[in-house]
Amino acid sequence: MTELLRVEGIHKRYGKEEVLRGVSFRMERGETKVIIGPSGTGKSTLLRCINLLTFPDQGQVFLEGHEVTHHKAHINRLRASMGFVFQDFNLFAHLTALANVSIGLLKVKGMRKEQGRARALAELERVGLADKASAFPAQLSGGQQQRVSIARALAMDPKLILFDEPTSALDPELIGEVLSVMIELAKEGMTMLAVTHEMGFARSVADSIIFMESGVIAEEGTPQALFTSPKHPRTGQFLRKITELYGEMGG
Amino acid sequence: MTFKFRWEWLPQLVRGLGLSLEVTAICVLIGIALGLLLAFGRLYGRRWISWPCRLYIEFFRATPLLVQLLMVYYGFPSWGISLSPFVSGILAFGLNTAAYQAEYFRGAIQAVRPGQTLAARSLGMTLPQTVRYVILPQAVRLVIPPWSNELILMLKYSSILYMVTLPDIMGEAKKLAAKHFNSFDVYLVVALFYLALVLVVTLGLRAVEKRLHIPGLGAPGEHR
Amino acid sequence: MLLRAFLINLEVLVALLGVGLVAGTLIAILQVYAGRLIGYLAFLFEWVFRAIPALILLLLFYFGPPRFGFDISPFLAATLALGFRSAAYQSQIFRGAIQAIPTGQMLAARSVGMSRARAVVTIILPQAFRLSIPGWSNEFSGVTKDTTLAYAVGLNEVLRAARVVMDRQYNLAMLAYLTVALLFLALTYAGNWGLGLLEKKTRIPGLEMKGIGGENR
């Protein structure tokens, strides 16, 4: 089957607030799906529920048929097969760029040192940062850090990469370099699930878009469908506001 | 008002200094080991572990070292446990510094940004792996400033140990003072010894800190 | 009986904190605002009084004066020795606080015509003191413990009283010392609580700073 990810009925509450109220969707292998919506609608929480950085109160997540949310699941192994790119990059501050990319290979996948280094270097090249291999995160710009973090995720040969607002913490002129990498990945057939405000990216690269509001999926469809003839009134409102604000960047 | 210094005091004082350093070194090691245990206990342990750890730390930090020392040296014998000055000193001092070090370790571990843990977990690392490869390397660098402080404090407070008749530099000084009827000058020399010691250790620690330094990884509020 | 002796400790505490406060503020101001030479001297003072162990300072202050022909009581020796030492630490706290105040404050004060001295007293210091409270509480709880060092110069304080108890009834030794420990625990908590209250009452929104660590046990 080509279904890679299946999310069913995710509920999550923080204290009194129910942030996710029953979210379900599916993703095919090679699909690029973008989640958009107003802030605070639980988009990031949803992503974290998928690789169990946060535990959903209810609901299930299936990766290639294996239930991630099962209490007996080998969560670390499953996490290793899903890449996660954070809004704040979260590069390991005490390691060089190269070490950041290779540490997962060496410690989680148990690769040998030389092998790991070589592969890490290759991934850094892929994102255009081979020359920064021995730099520390503090010595890199935001855009460079984010690209290293993408390289770190790629090195693990993930089946799926989750992007949590990857460009929101970047200065405008640095957003482009990260988006280019993401677009390349999409073209190469990587399965990607991204929460983002970059409408240009969504419109030109996504296979499908989810519009979330108040903890549920308000509408889901192709970029064409959503942008030109949204079914839900709020979808249209939101899209108009956002495209005004962020312009038609990327692509 | 002449300064009645005698060169013959030096060998005796230096011998005492050796003991002071020895005791301090042992206590530092006890402090690190026990301190780490306490810190982990407080951070990662269940209620029945973290609570006693907390109580221990609070008690040893809120009560004077001298009181703790005398409790061990005089108190224990009254319960039937007799301890030599050396052991009493090491015990009291070691327990005391462990409490302070535990707090510094805890602070440093907590100062490692939570995003680092998230990133480690999302790569598939287990908790022990995360602590070993991500948290500890950073915590070590973050803990150096307060820990260096602690080390220097320990050096200085080791001067108290002579009160349980330990023949360290102060103990020797007291003997000399009695012998020559000259407390002030003797203690002045001892003060100079300590000044020099503190200077040397401070410089040494600064060198260590430089060597371990990673750009961008400084303690939050390093110089308050 | 222990309690009565404990009061002596408290007296020393108050006295030395007073000395420390006054001297500390003075030194801090000198370090920040006075010329290079005075600043350097202040720095030297700070360094000497911080690098020499408290106990030794105490002994020097106690045995020093007789050497030069003066008499000094254990109480005075303790107060001065520990007081000046505290001044060294307090000056650090105050200096940090003063430097944390935006330079704009001084500029504004001068631009309405205040002299430097007046600006320092009416504008800078009030803010600096509020900022110092956390660091100062640290110093407070540290210094309370140092009062026990006066035992070494024969002051009739609580540890001496405990010793007397022990001499009379040996098997009460542990109990006596435990009581002393608890007295200090109580004092530390009371002090922290009181200072916390002070901080809350004098708090001004927007005026905050991280405190400096304590250096006593």
Side-chain angles (χ1 to χ4, degrees), chain B residues 15 56-57 71 79 101 166 176 183 197 201 203 216 222:
Chain B
R15 226 189 332 178
Y56 174 100
I57 294 174
M71 266 208 299
W79 277 355
Q101 290 195 40
L166 195 72
L176 282 171
S183 300
L197 186 62
V201 173
L203 289 176
E222 223 168 308

Side-chain angles (χ1 to χ4, degrees), chain B residues 80-145:
Chain B
I81 315 170
S82 193
L83 296 167
S84 75
F86 189 69
V87 174
S88 314
I90 293 191
L91 187 62
F93 211 9
L95 292 177
N96 179 284
T97 181
Y100 283 88
Q101 290 195 40
E103 282 298 277
Y104 295 139
F105 292 146
R106 181 171 72 97
I109 291 177
Q110 287 180 320
V112 175
R113 286 172 290 134
Q116 302 283 298
T117 311
L118 283 178
R121 299 297 253 141
S122 68
L123 280 179
M125 284 196 202
T126 61
L127 186 57
Q129 281 183 319
T130 307
V131 170
R132 183 162 164 217
Y133 297 117
V134 175
I135 297 185
L136 278 183
Q138 296 189 39
V140 161
R141 286 167 178 87
L142 290 174
V143 91
I144 291 181

Side-chain angles (χ1 to χ4, degrees), chain A residues 210-229:
Chain A
I210 287 178
F211 174 67
M212 268 186 78
E213 202 191 17
S214 314
V216 291
I217 295 181
E219 190 166 345
E220 182 172 357
T222 63
Q224 260 261 327
L226 250 72
F227 276 87
T228 50
S229 39

Side-chain angles (χ1 to χ4, degrees), chain A residues 35 49 56 63 79 86 94 114 121 134 144 151 176 186 189 214 216 224 232 242 250:
Chain A
I35 303 180
C49 285
L63 185 69
R79 283 199 189 123
F86 297 87
H94 61 300
E114 277 319 304
L121 205 51
S134 43
Q144 292 169 328
S214 314
V216 291
Q224 260 261 327
H232 209 270
I242 282 289

Side-chain angles (χ1 to χ4, degrees), chain C:
Chain C
M1 185 183 70
L2 284 175
L3 273 172
R4 234 181 308 139
F6 192 59
L7 283 175
I8 309 268
N9 287 76
L10 289 175
E11 275 181 49
V12 175
L13 178 64
V14 170
L16 81 88
L17 280 176
V19 171
L21 191 63
V22 171
T25 315
L26 204 63
I27 295 172
I29 294 179
L30 284 177
Q31 272 202 296
V32 177
Y33 294 113
R36 286 189 80 194
L37 181 62
I38 299 190
Y40 186 64
L41 287 174
F43 171 73
L44 215 57
F45 172 90
E46 232 191 81
W47 190 72
V48 164
F49 274 87
R50 292 199 314 141
I52 302 181
L55 179 62
I56 299 189
L57 270 176
L58 191 54
L59 293 170
L60 286 175
F61 267 78
Y62 183 65
F63 290 114
R67 180 91 168 59
F68 301 110
F70 299 101
D71 250 338
I72 188 169
S73 73
F75 184 87
L76 192 58
T79 306
L80 290 178
L82 296 176
F84 284 129
R85 182 165 183 269
S86 181
Y89 284 102
Q90 288 190 43
S91 76
Q92 239 210 342
I93 296 174
F94 294 142
R95 182 159 56 92
I98 293 177
Q99 289 177 325
I101 297 175
T103 48
Q105 299 287 303
M106 179 57 114
L107 290 174
R110 304 286 258 129
S111 66
V112 294
M114 285 195 201
S115 70
R116 242 182 155 203
R118 188 159 232 138
V120 167
V121 170
T122 53
I123 305 291
I124 303 287
L125 283 185
Q127 293 188 44
F129 281 133
R130 280 180 182 79
L131 289 177
S132 307
I133 295 182
W136 204 87
S137 331
N138 251 332
E139 172 67 9
F140 173 84
S141 53
V143 147
T144 58
K145 293 178 277 177
D146 278 342
T147 59
T148 53
L149 294 176
Y151 177 56
V153 294
L155 184 65
N156 225 332
E157 50 81 66
V158 74
L159 278 181
R160 184 123 184 277
R163 183 69 199 263
V164 170
V165 168
M166 185 178 92
D167 285 337
R168 287 200 207 143
Q169 275 190 277
Y170 192 57
N171 55 335
L172 282 186
M174 190 52 147
L175 198 60
Y177 285 118
L178 254 166
T179 315
V180 175
L182 290 174
L183 280 172
F184 275 98
L185 255 170
L187 178 59
T188 307
Y189 280 128
N192 282 336
W193 174 80
L195 284 165
L197 221 69
L198 180 66
E199 183 180 6
K200 282 207 177 90
K201 291 199 115 186
T202 58
R203 183 177 296 172
I204 294 175
L207 195 63
E208 267 172 11
M209 185 185 90
K210 300 239 192 303
I212 297 183
E215 304 236 345
N216 318 76
R217 37 201 72 185

Side-chain angles (χ1 to χ4, degrees), chain A residues 103-158:
Chain A
I103 192 168
L105 295 172
L106 298 176
K107 303 299 176 189
V108 180
K109 293 214 156 163
M111 252 192 212
R112 312 196 54 202
K113 234 173 153 196
E114 277 319 304
Q115 246 191 312
R117 283 193 89 239
R119 177 67 198 277
L121 205 51
E123 292 300 342
L124 279 177
E125 250 195 80
R126 192 169 166 188
V127 299
L129 287 172
D131 58 327
K132 295 283 184 191
S134 43
F136 286 98
Q139 298 168 317
L140 299 172
S141 75
Q144 292 169 328
Q145 289 187 51
Q146 194 62 299
R147 283 190 279 154
V148 173
S149 96
I150 295 178
R152 179 174 64 178
L154 286 173
M156 303 291 281
D157 281 323

